[in-house]
Amino acid sequence: MKRRRSEIFIIFIAIVAIEGVLPGSFTHRSNRQITIKVEWVMNLKLANPLWVPVKALLCRTTTTRRRNLFTATAINSLDGKKEEVLVVVGGGAAGVYGAIRAKTLSPELRVLVIEKGRFLSKVKISGGGRCNVTNGHCTDTIRLAENYPRGNKELKGSFFYTHGPADTMSWFSERGVPLKTEDDGRVFPVSDNSASVVDCLLHEATIRGVRLERGKSVLSASTKPDGKFLVKVGKRTADVSESIQASYLLIATGSSPQGHSLATQFGHSIVDPVPSLFTFKINDPLLAELAGISFSKVQAKLKLEHPRSDMSKLVQVGPMLVTHWGLSGPVILRLSAWGARHLFTSEYKGLLSVDFIPDINIETAKSLLKQHKLQFSKNKVSNTFPPQFGLVNRFWRYILDREGSSKDTLWASLSNNSLSSISDLLKHCTFQVTGKGQYKDEFVTAGGVPLSEISLKTMESRLVPNLFFAGEVLNVDGVTGGFNFQNAWSGGYIAGTHIGKLASNMSSTERKVVGL
């Protein structure tokens, strides 16, 4: 009997919550307090046959309540007090991650994420559809910061201490996305499917009560006399728009000009964005025939027509790939990132010098060639070469073509001068860079809001209170290998943490004022 009475009472509470009107002492409760009751009721498992239709109705009504929450007339709470609202501009990694964190710390905070395209679209396509979540080899924050051409000095402070790669990996693992670290440090979901990461983030946002609004843009934003933000939202192709009053504003628009435009509306400056992480175009028909050949380790050095004072980072070591239009692979992408602004100034022209046998010095290379000549004197030069070089036959023949040796020449006929020339080519093979391609999966830009204009401890603007930035909208970009996403996770987490704490403190103050 007691159990049945309890079930009837719970169903009554659910129905009353659906109507949005609570009797007696409940009349002063906020929307969020009602929602908490609704969610608590929905998590119960009752045997009463009436529970199934009531729960379905409750779910539909709660969804409708959330959908209508952010209209121009629904900013205020039911009792007339202004609620704390966070508007996040941009539904990428930084924006969604930051929204979840803020909502986690402050459940009463209303959180709206506005995205003009698809949510987490860059997460979905990254890493060839596998999603390179972070880098698992850079546990030391100083070493980690060195992977950011823009931001390497500033990020050596508290930024990654607050939320680094290990924290990111734990966050996803604890939410049902097991991860794996590959030999080069890149971290991927075990599923090798970016959908695992996307679904996890969207699910977490949904269960926390974050409102995700797709297909709209923030057209403008300004501060009101009371310090709140007035955010104009709509479709750029339509005349209709709505205004939202927000207590906090987080701009996480990536490299989109939209974020830069909003930042300037609040008085921020913008470092002109230029492409980063791109491939090199090489005008060499013989090289183009080698498309698909890869090298596990080369040393590449970029020389520009207008050199700058610090060019030390324009020497990189790592894997390289030959493409139909030139050269790609991690070593090239890192060079493009460190040289992004220099290459832009040089109109993407320069001289690339590649050492194809970086672990063998030139004297040893000559010695190996001489030994090979004695051992294989009757063989054609094009058919055999020292195995220590670790090359493929097609590339070896390319080197012979560059050196000028005939493919039919026997090793016995190869002069010492030719041996020296081949050694030089293997150690210092030059290519004329004539332009840039685009690395579509990891394409980022260098530029954005200067880090000097925000606090990296909170991600809050130094110019406007309660205005926050996170992700690539800032003048921060990393090399390939999961570093750009880690910047997004860290920045979003820090911004969300500070916003959540501010909102929680405000809620506590308001409750004390009304005596709740």
Side-chain angles (χ1 to χ4, degrees), residues 52-107:
V52 174
V54 169
K55 185 174 181 180
L57 180 59
L58 184 60
C59 181
R60 288 197 300 272
T61 306
T62 303
T63 301
T64 302
R65 183 189 300 274
R66 286 174 178 163
R67 183 180 298 119
N68 295 331
L69 177 62
F70 293 99
T71 62
T73 58
I75 296 301
N76 295 335
S77 61
L78 292 177
D79 58 6
K81 298 194 303 296
K82 292 182 178 179
E83 295 180 320
E84 293 286 285
V85 176
L86 162 64
V87 171
V88 180
V89 190
V96 174
Y97 206 66
I100 293 170
R101 178 60 178 168
K103 188 70 170 172
T104 301
L105 291 184
S106 181

Side-chain angles (χ1 to χ4, degrees), residues 140-148 151-153 155-156 160:
D140 177 74
T141 57
I142 302 298
R143 182 185 168 197
L144 179 59
E146 291 174 351
N147 290 280
Y148 294 85
N152 60 92
K153 294 179 181 178
L155 299 183
K156 290 179 180 178
F160 291 124

